[in-house]
DNA sequence: GCGACAG
DNA sequence: ATCTTGTCGC
């Protein structure tokens, strides 16, 4: 079987993956969406977890992508990768994988520790076409990916309890809010994710299956990865890594301009 | 037609 | 996402 780096390179090199027009991008999502697989994820068997994130500069001309691998047990950082790049697709809600995946794949190529699971800052199945960035990445590199977002895109839900670990289901296409698992199953409702309280009395995060994981295992792992703060540690690390890189780069440019 | 709209 | 300091609360 090929390595993750090889699969990332192959995905980047295929022009079919990177349409220029939104309409083509939607068609691409519809084509790839049925490749998504939900499989059991045992959080106890996970050793390395990679957090992924992208930060932007001014004027829509520059961005930085980071991949940070943590030991899932100790939450220690064991590997990092950082890449500077240029946006090649506009930000459009529902299509933002086409903007962020190219730099993210490049950052993944720079890793030397192979992650067992990836965590994306965004959605997987909790998406209008069931193909958010977490599912998209998972299908492109055929790896386990979990989506963990900071706000809602798709699906209805009631607010979870205020205590850490409390959650409610995110349900597609319903008019009334029902949280009971049996009732939802009996009605054949489509559960696309879970709203999870990772920290008491703090805004929850939105967890959904990306690829080759299941929802319960994903929520369990995300909770373990967030022992202190709202945002899971792998994403927090990736966030501050590409964020500070962009800041330094901006300052450096400012100084050069003055001379 | 109206409202919503990941980062 | 980004522009931005201090400040209220556990």
């Amino acid at each position: 079987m090929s390595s993750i780096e090889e699969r990332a390179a192959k995905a980047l090199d295929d022009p079919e993956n990177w349409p220029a027009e939104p309409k083509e991008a939607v068609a691409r999502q519809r084509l790839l969406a049925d490749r998504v697989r939900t499989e059991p994820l045992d959080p106890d068997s996970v050793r390395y977890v990679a957090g992924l994130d992208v930060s932007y500069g001014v004027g829509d001309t520059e961005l930085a992508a980071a991949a940070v691998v943590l030991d899932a047990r100790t939450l220690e950082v064991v590997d990092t990768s950082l890449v500077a790049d240029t946006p090649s697709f506009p930000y459009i809600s529902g299509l933002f994988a086409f903007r962020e995946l190219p730099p993210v794949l490049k950052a993944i190529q720079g890793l030397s520790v192979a992650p067992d699971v990836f965590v994306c800052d965004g959605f997987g199945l909790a998406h209008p076409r069931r193909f958010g960035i977490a599912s998209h990445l998972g299908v492109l590199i055929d790896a386990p990916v979990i989506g963990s977002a900071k706000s809602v895109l798709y699906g209805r839900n009631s607010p979870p309890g205020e205590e850490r670990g409390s959650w409610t289901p995110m349900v597609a296409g319903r008019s009334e809010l029902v949280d009971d698992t049996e009732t939802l199953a009996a009605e054949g409702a489509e559960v696309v994710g879970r709203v999870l309280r990772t920290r008491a009395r703090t805004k929850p995060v939105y967890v959904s299956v990306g690829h080759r994981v299941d929802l319960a295992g994903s929520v369990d792992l995300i909770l373990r990865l967030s022992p202190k703060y709202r945002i899971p540690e792998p994403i927090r690390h990736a966030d501050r890594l590409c964020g500070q890189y962009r800041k330094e780069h901006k300052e450096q440019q400012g100084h050069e301009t003055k001379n």
Side-chain angles (χ1 to χ4, degrees), chain A residues 26-66:
Chain A
V26 169
R28 190 69 184 156
Q29 291 183 323
R30 294 205 163 103
L31 179 69
L32 297 178
D34 52 342
R35 289 201 208 172
V36 175
R37 296 289 175 263
T38 297
E39 297 172 0
L41 170 69
D42 176 12
D44 290 324
S45 69
V46 175
R47 179 71 188 283
Y48 297 121
V49 185
L52 307 167
D53 199 21
V54 174
S55 73
Y56 298 89
V58 291
D60 210 42
T61 60
E62 47 189 52
L63 55 76

Side-chain angles (χ1 to χ4, degrees), chain A residues 88-107:
Chain A
S88 54
F89 197 90
Y91 172 74
I92 299 173
S93 177
L95 296 178
F96 100 102
F98 294 94
R99 178 178 177 81
E100 296 205 345
L101 239 29
V104 162
L105 286 166
K106 290 171 189 169

Side-chain angles (χ1 to χ4, degrees), chain A residues 222-235:
Chain A
I222 291 296
L223 199 52
R224 294 185 195 199
L225 296 173
S226 322
K228 189 173 168 62
Y229 301 107
R230 176 169 90 109
I231 303 302
E233 289 297 307
I235 291 184

Side-chain angles (χ1 to χ4, degrees), chain A residues 127-170:
Chain A
H127 176 279
R129 289 169 292 280
R130 312 299 186 273
F131 202 65
I133 189 168
S135 297
H136 204 145
L137 172 65
V139 165
L140 289 187
I141 64 175
D142 192 27
V145 184
I146 296 170
S148 176
K150 299 186 291 294
S151 64
V152 198
L153 168 65
Y154 178 80
R156 296 176 55 84
N157 67 269
S158 50
E162 292 296 319
E163 69 278 18
R164 172 181 141 80
S166 179
W167 59 268
T168 52
M170 298 170 68

Side-chain angles (χ1 to χ4, degrees), chain A residues 5 12 30 36 66 69 75-76 84 92 95-96 102 125 127 146 150 158 170 181 183 187 209 214 221 224 227 242:
Chain A
E5 299 87 87
L12 277 166
R30 294 205 163 103
V36 175
V69 182
L75 299 186
E76 283 176 44
I92 299 173
L95 296 178
F96 100 102
L125 294 178
H127 176 279
I146 296 170
K150 299 186 291 294
S158 50
M170 298 170 68
T181 304
T183 305
E187 295 181 1
V209 168
D214 63 24
L221 183 60
R224 294 185 195 199
C242 58

Side-chain angles (χ1 to χ4, degrees), chain A residues 234-252:
Chain A
I235 291 184
R236 285 189 72 236
H237 282 285
D239 182 47
R240 59 162 197 69
L241 181 58
C242 58
Q244 76 177 23
Y245 172 83
R246 207 202 66 257
K247 263 183 186 174
E248 287 166 9
H249 195 261
K250 189 188 294 178
E251 288 171 8
Q252 186 182 6

